[in-house]
Amino acid sequence: MVFYAIYLLGLSLRQTSRALQALGSARSHEAVRRWVHRFAGRAEKLVMNEKANTAIVDEAAVNVAGRNVWLWIAIEPGHRAVLALMLTEARNIFAAYSLFTCLRHRGVRHVITDGASWYRIATGWARLRHSVVHSLRSYVERFIEAVNDRLMYRLLLPIS
């Protein structure tokens, strides 16, 4: 969550602290600063700064501070780098279109998904080429599982 807020949205430490508080997980901006310094090296390796042509996209429900939200993620398949992350309260065409617009600005022209109906329509709106892979156990799904595992682990332990 902090990674999403700071690295992909560009929020300040105080804005990130307020966003966490709004989600029911009150943390000071100093705690957020410590997280940033502690995990900065790892996060930079996950984010790809160069343009990518193709992205694998998936979404999953995650529990953040007792609320179910949708985590949308796009990963570049060659480098296995995160291109975009997005949290939404709804899983629909408009959320998918918002993600695809972000990807299009990053140079992505081809999107690979699991074939959900909202992807087909949203890729048309965003003018992206769309491929469907039904049986692929993708990097995206493994990444989402890791996020879920971390969120469950964090619910059990206090964050300092």
Side-chain angles (χ1 to χ4, degrees):
M1 180 68 120
V2 173
F3 168 78
Y4 170 74
I6 293 173
Y7 282 93
L8 298 177
L9 292 180
L11 296 181
S12 70
L13 300 177
R14 289 184 194 276
Q15 290 169 328
T16 302
S17 176
R18 285 187 213 115
L20 288 170
Q21 185 175 10
L23 289 172
S25 180
R27 298 290 179 257
S28 70
H29 70 277
E30 178 59 22
V32 173
R33 185 193 66 77
R34 279 187 258 133
W35 289 343
V36 169
H37 286 282
R38 185 172 166 196
F39 297 111
R42 294 181 202 167
E44 287 173 356
K45 292 176 188 173
L46 288 174
V47 177
M48 187 168 150
N49 292 324
E50 58 194 59
K51 292 200 176 217
N53 186 41
T54 304
I56 300 173
V57 176
D58 201 7
E59 86 291 335
V62 294
N63 186 323
V64 177
R67 293 175 52 196
N68 285 328
V69 294
W70 292 98
L71 172 65
W72 300 75
I73 184 166
I75 292 182
E76 196 276 329
H79 297 93
R80 298 182 186 180
V82 176
L83 296 173
L85 284 172
M86 184 173 74
L87 287 174
T88 63
E89 291 190 14
R91 179 176 67 165
N92 57 27
I93 296 167
F94 302 112
Y97 175 70
S98 177
L99 179 66
F100 293 158
T101 301
C102 173
L103 291 175
R104 189 165 170 78
H105 288 293
R106 299 217 42 186
V108 172
R109 297 294 178 250
H110 179 219
V111 176
I112 301 168
T113 69
D114 59 6
S117 60
W118 49 84
Y119 289 134
R120 183 178 38 83
I121 296 168
T123 53
W125 288 354
R127 297 187 197 118
L128 295 171
R129 205 174 78 213
H130 181 227
S131 299
V132 176
V133 177
H134 291 288
S135 61
L136 179 69
R137 177 123 174 90
S138 71
Y139 313 123
V140 177
E141 290 172 349
R142 286 194 292 272
F143 188 91
I144 288 173
E145 281 181 12
V147 169
N148 269 326
D149 291 344
R150 297 279 176 142
L151 287 171
M152 289 303 295
Y153 180 71
R154 287 291 183 192
L155 290 175
L156 300 175
L157 295 175
I159 300 174
S160 57

